[in-house]
Amino acid sequence: MLTGSAPSARPADRKDSENGENGPRRYAVYGTGHRAAMYVDAMLQDFSDVAEPVAWCDPNETRMSHYTAQARAAGHTPVHYHPDHLETMLRQERIDVLVVCSPDHTHAAAVSTALRAGVDVVCEKPLTVDEAGLRAIEAAAAGSQAQLTVTFNYRYSPRNSALKQVLADGSIGKVLSVHFEWLLDTVHGADYFRRWHRQKASSGGLAVHKATHHFDLVNWWLDDVPVTVQALGGLRFYGDQGAGRPAGPRPSLGRDAAADDPYGFDMSGDDHLRGLYLEAEAQDGYLRDRDVFDQDIDIEDTLSVLVGYRGGCSMTYSLTAHSPWEGYRVSVNGSRGRAELEVVERAHVASGTASDLLAWRTDTPDGTPTAPASRPAVDPSVAPGSAGTATGARTEGSRLVVQQHWDVAREIPIEESEGGHGGGDGLLLVDVFRGAGQDPLRRRAGYEDGLRSVAVGVAVNESLRTGGPVRTYGTRADQDQD
């Protein structure tokens, strides 16, 4: 059972590198897809004094070579390993820290293997996708002195930290209920239905892969434990029977879509995606640009969830993966008032060709497509300002408002900075590579935080399957005591 607060790793808790107390720690990256870029770039640039990339572990040689080319330019030559040889890599390369960025369903085995070997782990969310993974990681963590950190970068986003501070200060009193609405637009939202995330066995669906961020935020904001879940949802917009499916035949791959198809996806004009996926297809057959309206999709694009917490609070949660704008709204009702956070990350998706929507190309006067120097991220929260200028009634940005009973509403300043998630990614990386300093908000997430957030998503999937309420993993003993 998960009890108590999550442990937070401190520099003093972590074993010295093989290079000595003052030398950089030896890092390996497990899974060299797109998400690994944040960590590889960090080790090669801002954190090169404390982190040395010595090995990659991935089934695809082409993807590993893509990052090795970057590492060599910085004076490193990481050794390549297949995931079947993870234990050998940890031992032979004397790994201090394993960074797990592989597909979600592989996390539990990799994390558990590293912990049993005494190797610290930095794991991308979600920590795992099902209850079997939760049990495996909990057992491995209980028998290991190694540290496990889950990278919940949304905690570090200044707007989310500001709401945490409002609640911690008691500005609205005892929290009684939360409403949380998350909207993914038809650029970012659609992308989950192209790649491996479209299969629940691989990702746990958006209830696990995406919403684990959101469930962790609420767990952290409330400093409480989710215990009961009831869910409704389905695949309603995407898929071969989806309401959003354009009329007529569909291509099996986004690269073959018509030029004016807003759901097309052409990786050839992006060096990073082309190198990681298009040029790597021949090795493992993985197709990054499957059509979002084909029949091989079994995850939901619409979710409505009710969560009950041990302390008596309740949350209504909604996720829509096909919105015309991207962002989220959080309303927190307390005994003394109410806090409201609204974030607009992309105000609209303009009409145009598929390539134009993501700015993958520009056309010269004679109509020849050319690749631009940069392009907006599929996920606008990663690259603020990349979505273009907003028009109409909706403005991009964040706004936090607090109103106490019998008083006027007041806006709380949010001090965002440069970088992904309002500067939150940079703050997260400092904690990951240099260790957490004094932080009264406790933003660094330990393994129990990771388990509890996934436990809600797993319960959502079980509730969708059974149609009834579900107790979350680790809290069923509470029910026995009721």
Side-chain angles (χ1 to χ4, degrees):
M1 183 197 304
L2 305 180
T3 59
S5 60
S8 61
R10 301 180 300 278
D13 293 328
R14 313 172 89 186
K15 67 181 185 296
D16 295 338
S17 167
E18 293 283 348
N19 292 332
E21 185 176 356
N22 298 316
R25 305 190 76 203
R26 296 172 65 82
Y27 279 74
V29 176
Y30 185 89
T32 52
H34 176 72
R35 190 57 184 165
M38 182 174 80
Y39 301 97
V40 173
D41 290 347
M43 287 187 279
L44 299 180
Q45 298 172 24
D46 294 345
F47 302 94
S48 60
D49 59 321
V50 293
E52 179 185 3
V54 299
W56 310 143
C57 192
D58 193 282
N60 193 292
E61 182 66 30
T62 301
R63 281 196 288 273
M64 289 190 285
S65 296
H66 177 84
Y67 286 112
T68 294
Q70 292 179 236
R72 282 179 176 155
H76 302 281
T77 308
V79 183
H80 295 185
Y81 284 84
H82 189 276
D84 289 346
H85 304 134
L86 173 59
E87 291 182 79
T88 301
M89 179 193 74
L90 296 175
R91 182 177 63 254
Q92 289 190 176
E93 305 305 326
R94 307 185 316 281
I95 301 302
D96 295 316
V97 186
L98 181 71
V99 180
V100 177
C101 304
S102 54
D104 302 343
H105 70 286
T106 67
H107 288 188
V111 169
S112 299
T113 297
L115 291 177
R116 286 194 298 267
V119 173
D120 290 350
V121 179
V122 173
C123 186
E124 267 292 308
K125 63 82 194 168
L127 195 50
T128 184
V129 299
D130 54 25
E131 192 165 308
L134 292 171
R135 287 194 298 268
I137 292 173
E138 189 174 22
S144 177
Q145 294 300 309
Q147 297 294 314
L148 170 54
T149 299
V150 185
T151 53
F152 284 123
N153 50 0
Y154 278 115
R155 290 187 177 201
Y156 293 81
S157 181
R159 58 216 183 200
N160 298 327
S161 296
L163 179 54
K164 171 68 172 177
Q165 189 66 63
V166 164
L167 301 182
D169 289 345
S171 298
I172 64 167
K174 176 181 172 61
V175 175
L176 306 176
S177 67
V178 178
H179 176 68
F180 196 148
E181 179 185 27
W182 196 281
L183 301 167
L184 297 167
D185 64 25
T186 47
V187 174
H188 187 194
D191 207 45
Y192 293 104
F193 298 83
R194 296 187 180 103
R195 31 186 193 171
W196 55 262
H197 306 75
R198 68 199 337 238
Q199 293 293 319
K200 191 167 285 193
S202 297
S203 67
L206 294 182
V208 172
H209 176 81
K210 186 64 181 174
T212 187
H213 261 319
H214 316 149
F215 299 144
D216 174 71
L217 277 177
V218 179
N219 296 347
W220 173 63
W221 281 331
L222 301 181
D223 193 20
D224 205 348
V225 178
V227 295
T228 59
V229 173
Q230 173 87 55
L232 294 172
L235 181 63
R236 299 174 180 171
F237 186 87
Y238 302 105
D240 63 336
Q241 301 298 314
R245 189 183 191 279
R250 296 291 306 167
S252 61
L253 299 175
R255 72 195 72 170
D256 298 324
D260 60 350
D261 186 343
Y263 298 100
F265 193 86
D266 181 7
M267 295 180 285
S268 63
D270 183 285
D271 292 342
H272 188 61
L273 293 178
R274 185 177 65 249
L276 286 177
Y277 301 110
L278 198 59
E279 294 173 356
E281 287 178 355
Q283 277 205 305
D284 59 13
Y286 173 58
L287 300 173
R288 169 66 175 76
D289 62 337
R290 301 284 298 277
D291 184 55
V292 302
F293 295 106
D294 71 21
Q295 62 183 0
D296 189 29
I297 300 172
D298 68 358
I299 66 171
E300 297 78 22
D301 58 30
T302 306
L303 290 169
S304 299
V305 180
L306 179 63
V307 182
Y309 288 82
R310 183 176 286 164
C313 182
S314 60
M315 173 180 68
T316 53
Y317 172 81
S318 170
L319 184 146
T320 300
H322 45 84
S323 169
W325 66 278
E326 178 141 337
Y328 57 101
R329 293 186 175 117
V330 182
S331 301
V332 185
N333 298 297
S335 58
R336 296 180 57 199
R338 176 180 170 99
E340 299 171 351
L341 174 63
E342 177 165 301
V343 178
V344 179
E345 293 177 336
R346 183 154 47 206
H348 76 300
V349 174
S351 60
T353 66
S355 297
D356 292 339
L357 285 174
L358 295 178
W360 286 331
R361 73 178 188 211
T362 55
D363 290 337
T364 59
D366 65 359
T368 305
T370 59
S374 62
R375 66 173 180 84
V378 171
D379 179 355
S381 67
V382 173
S386 68
T389 7
T391 57
R394 201 177 308 282
T395 304
E396 291 166 10
S398 305
R399 189 166 186 249
L400 176 59
V401 173
V402 172
Q403 185 168 8
Q404 295 179 327
H405 293 310
W406 308 290
D407 201 354
V408 297
R410 57 191 174 92
E411 185 168 350
I412 306 299
I414 299 173
E415 298 181 4
E416 296 190 328
S417 56
E418 295 297 320
H421 301 97
D425 286 358
L427 297 173
L428 166 72
L429 291 171
V430 170
D431 273 9
V432 166
F433 289 106
R434 300 197 188 279
Q438 293 298 317
D439 182 6
L441 297 182
R442 199 184 64 79
R443 287 173 293 188
R444 184 168 184 151
Y447 88 94
E448 289 188 349
D449 299 306
L451 292 176
R452 284 177 178 149
S453 64
V454 172
V456 180
V458 170
V460 168
N461 285 333
E462 181 64 9
S463 180
L464 291 171
R465 187 184 71 81
T466 64
V470 175
R471 298 287 298 199
T472 59
Y473 174 81
T475 69
R476 287 162 197 159
D478 294 356
Q479 188 177 29
D480 296 338
Q481 297 168 9
D482 289 346

